[in-house]
């Protein structure tokens, strides 16, 4: 085997896929940081490591800071695309096995990288600060003298959805790291700055724990729609606008959240 990899992108959210069946690239904390470094490595928003075999479609997800990620919507779309491109799956539904759960994938137009991901049931999550009310949904919260309506949502990973009339890159880059690393969040959190455009459409800017400012995120889109849907502010089918593009989110009668999106291959390469 060699040290080959494949790079994919989903709305500018790029991941490097390392398949242990074909590559012997070492995956440890320092190696992950080096590979994701855009100046000294191939560069990416994270690494997708898997599958264990064609019979067990396991996936481990790593952030650019070397930490392991619980779940990534765009990462799952990209990994599904990789599995299809390499003959591990076909046109029928299949499951990808994460660390703590299995995620159902529906190929819609796999030749063009389009998949539907059953992300699970989003729900209000508990904060580490026991003074905060539970469930934490639609409460005014102040960070660095900025007060916004916030909802803390778990969809397999943590998200704080902050409603604002002006979700900008500057806001996400300046306030995002302050919010993400606030002690009220036990293991840090992903942050979405969200504007409601209509009952069927929203706009978000994203700061991800372990990755920083991000052009697009599937799990962030799901969390934002879930937070607003549970408050009755949007309907069950919502388009999410991000700098990288648009994703479609659907919430079914069982409150399961579904992500519909596509990815594309950027290039394949080999580490030296």
């Amino acid at each position: 085997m060699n040290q080959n990899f494949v790079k994919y992108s989903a709305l500018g959210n790029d991941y490097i896929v390392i398949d242990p069946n074909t590559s012997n690239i070492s995956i440890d904390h320092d190696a992950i940081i080096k590979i994701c470094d855009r100046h000294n490595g191939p560069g990416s928003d994270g690494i997708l490591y898997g599958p264990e075999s064609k019979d067990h479609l396991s996936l481990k997800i790593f952030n650019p800071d070397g930490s392991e990620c619980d779940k990534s919507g765009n990462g799952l779309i990209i990994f599904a695309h990789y599995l299809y491109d390499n003959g591990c799956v076909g046109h029928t539904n299949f499951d990808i096995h994460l660390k703590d759960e299995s995620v159902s994938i529906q190929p819609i137009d796999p030749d063009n990288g389009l998949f539907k991901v059953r992300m699970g049931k989003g729900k209000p999550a508990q904060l580490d600060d026991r003074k905060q009310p539970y469930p934490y949904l639609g409460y005014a919260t102040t960070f660095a003298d900025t007060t916004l309506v916030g909802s803390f949502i778990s969809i397999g990973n943590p998200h704080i959805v902050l409603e604002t009339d002006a979700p900008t890159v500057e806001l996400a880059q300046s306030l995002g790291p302050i919010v993400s690393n606030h002690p009220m969040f036990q293991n840090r959190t992903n942050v979405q700055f969200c504007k409601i455009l209509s009952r069927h459409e929203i706009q978000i800017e994203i700061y991800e724990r372990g990755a920083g400012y991000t052009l697009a995120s599937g799990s962030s889109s799901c969390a934002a729609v879930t937070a607003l849907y549970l408050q009755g502010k949007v309907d069950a089918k919502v388009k999410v606008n991000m700098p990288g593009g648009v994703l479609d989110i659907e919430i079914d009668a069982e409150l399961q959240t579904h992500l519909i999106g596509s990815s594309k291959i950027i290039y394949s390469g080999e580490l030296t």
Side-chain angles (χ1 to χ4, degrees):
M1 291 194 294
N2 51 36
Q3 293 199 318
N4 64 297
F5 64 88
V6 187
K7 185 172 182 177
Y8 285 76
S9 175
L11 302 183
N13 197 196
D14 58 343
Y15 280 87
I16 285 173
V17 181
I18 298 174
D19 186 338
N21 297 285
T22 61
S23 175
N24 61 2
I25 294 176
S26 173
I27 291 297
D28 56 39
H29 180 272
D30 293 340
I32 293 165
I33 293 174
K34 184 176 180 180
I35 292 169
C36 293
D37 189 324
R38 297 188 185 277
H39 300 288
N40 298 301
S44 70
D45 288 323
I47 290 175
L48 306 175
Y49 187 77
E52 182 179 308
S53 69
K54 285 190 176 182
D55 297 322
H56 186 70
L57 303 178
S58 62
L59 171 63
K60 290 185 177 181
I61 308 171
F62 297 97
N63 294 313
D65 67 356
S67 61
E68 189 168 357
C69 175
D70 299 312
K71 183 187 284 187
S72 164
N74 280 338
L76 284 160
I77 288 172
I78 287 172
F79 193 62
H81 194 178
Y82 172 82
L83 294 173
Y84 178 80
D85 283 347
N86 288 273
C88 298
V89 299
H91 288 79
T92 58
N93 292 5
F94 59 93
D95 290 342
I96 293 176
H97 306 288
L98 302 178
K99 181 173 59 174
D100 295 320
E101 63 177 304
S102 293
V103 178
S104 177
I105 310 292
Q106 177 187 347
I108 297 177
D109 184 4
D111 290 317
N112 290 304
L114 183 63
F115 296 86
K116 184 175 184 177
V117 181
R118 188 173 185 262
M119 290 290 287
K121 186 179 291 186
K123 58 185 179 181
Q126 288 194 340
L127 298 173
D128 194 45
D129 183 351
R130 298 299 173 181
K131 295 179 182 179
Q132 298 290 345
Y134 300 99
Y136 193 76
L137 187 68
Y139 286 96
T141 311
T142 301
F143 299 99
D145 298 324
T146 300
T147 301
L148 301 168
V149 172
S151 300
F152 190 43
I153 300 294
S154 173
I155 192 158
N157 55 356
H159 299 264
I160 181 74
V161 180
L162 299 171
E163 299 174 43
T164 173
D165 290 331
T168 63
V169 175
E170 293 75 20
L171 180 64
Q173 291 179 332
S174 61
L175 191 57
I178 296 172
V179 177
S180 180
N181 294 286
H182 195 280
M184 68 195 291
F185 306 113
Q186 186 175 8
N187 296 309
R188 301 183 294 170
T189 187
N190 301 292
V191 187
Q192 297 84 43
F193 298 93
C194 175
K195 180 179 181 179
I196 301 172
L197 303 177
S198 73
R199 293 194 64 84
H200 306 283
E201 191 171 7
I202 65 172
Q203 174 189 349
I204 62 172
E205 290 282 353
I206 306 157
Y207 186 92
E208 290 189 331
R209 61 172 185 171
Y213 178 75
T214 305
L215 293 175
S217 168
S219 61
S220 290
S221 298
C222 291
V225 173
T226 296
L228 298 174
Y229 180 79
L230 292 176
Q231 297 177 74
K233 295 178 178 179
V234 297
D235 292 338
K237 293 184 178 182
V238 178
K239 287 188 177 296
V240 181
N241 296 277
M242 296 166 285
V246 180
L247 286 173
D248 291 308
I249 307 300
E250 298 178 358
I251 298 178
D252 65 23
E254 298 178 348
L255 297 181
Q256 295 286 336
T257 306
H258 302 264
L259 163 67
I260 302 170
S262 63
S263 72
K264 62 182 180 180
I265 188 169
I266 303 300
Y267 63 81
S268 58
E270 186 171 352
L271 296 181
T272 58

